[in-house]
Amino acid sequence: MKFTLLKRFACVAGASSLIAGTMFLTTGTAHASESGSPSGVTCAVTLETQFSPGLTFTEQSTTLSFDARYRTCVSDDPTLTSGTRTASSTVVRSCNSLAGTSSGTYTISWNNGQSSTINYSRSATYVAGQAVQVDTGIVASGEFSGRNYLYETVGPQPNLLRCATPGGVTSLTSVGTVIIL
């Protein structure tokens, strides 16, 4: 009985710490920098990735189309509430070759007409059946220029049964958070 109560207390304490940490991160971005420019933003992210043709176990040339939606943004810039990022590229991939590292540049278009161009380094791994993507970098230009950038998403890894079919896996959805400080 005592062990069960202790486990419940530990779970509640852990959840409270997580909520407090999240509140710190989101409220921490809600203060203007000394220069008066926006100091940062935190948003929830949904990333839709399309593959054409679909991914199978055989490596092949495929077009990846990305559609990232940044929503419920918290910022000291009251005009910023959401953003988008779309891109596509043709690469050689299979269901077994999505994890790895890369780097590059992409631009987030904010709902207030501003944009942020990000120079990033990416690490994509599989952890316990989940695809985990982490981008870190710096805002090279635009709104939040010079600020640090962190983007994390988690979603299911490709369905192995679909990978074995001729059509393969044609889409993946992941969710996460972006923080610019």
Side-chain angles (χ1 to χ4, degrees), residues 169-180:
V169 174
T170 57
S171 66
L172 291 173
T173 301
S174 54
V175 295
T177 305
V178 65
I179 301 171
I180 298 175

Side-chain angles (χ1 to χ4, degrees), residues 98-166:
L98 286 177
T101 59
S102 63
S103 61
T105 301
Y106 53 69
T107 300
I108 301 169
S109 299
W110 301 109
N111 69 294
N112 62 1
Q114 300 289 320
S115 63
S116 297
T117 299
I118 313 298
N119 290 338
Y120 70 91
S121 295
R122 173 173 297 150
S123 172
T125 60
Y126 295 127
V127 179
Q130 299 296 304
V132 178
Q133 176 181 320
V134 178
D135 293 358
T136 58
I138 191 122
V139 180
S141 64
E143 189 158 20
F144 311 114
S145 182
R147 304 288 179 187
N148 292 315
Y149 179 80
L150 173 64
Y151 171 94
E152 299 175 303
T153 60
V154 176
Q157 71 183 63
N159 180 312
L160 299 179
L161 294 175
R162 289 285 295 156
C163 291
T165 65

Side-chain angles (χ1 to χ4, degrees), residues 39-153:
S39 62
V41 63
T42 300
C43 304
V45 179
T46 301
L47 175 65
E48 299 281 342
T49 306
Q50 305 291 322
F51 307 97
S52 180
L55 297 175
T56 64
F57 287 120
T58 303
E59 285 200 344
Q60 63 180 341
S61 180
T62 186
T63 299
L64 286 79
S65 299
F66 301 98
D67 183 11
R69 301 289 171 178
Y70 302 80
R71 62 196 190 305
T72 59
C73 297
V74 176
S75 174
D76 60 336
D77 177 350
T79 67
L80 191 153
T81 58
S82 63
T84 61
R85 174 174 56 90
T86 58
S88 66
S89 62
T90 301
V91 296
V92 175
R93 292 285 189 270
S94 74
C95 285
N96 294 326
S97 65
L98 286 177
T101 59
S102 63
S103 61
T105 301
Y106 53 69
T107 300
I108 301 169
S109 299
W110 301 109
N111 69 294
N112 62 1
Q114 300 289 320
S115 63
S116 297
T117 299
I118 313 298
N119 290 338
Y120 70 91
S121 295
R122 173 173 297 150
S123 172
T125 60
Y126 295 127
V127 179
Q130 299 296 304
V132 178
Q133 176 181 320
V134 178
D135 293 358
T136 58
I138 191 122
V139 180
S141 64
E143 189 158 20
F144 311 114
S145 182
R147 304 288 179 187
N148 292 315
Y149 179 80
L150 173 64
Y151 171 94
E152 299 175 303
T153 60

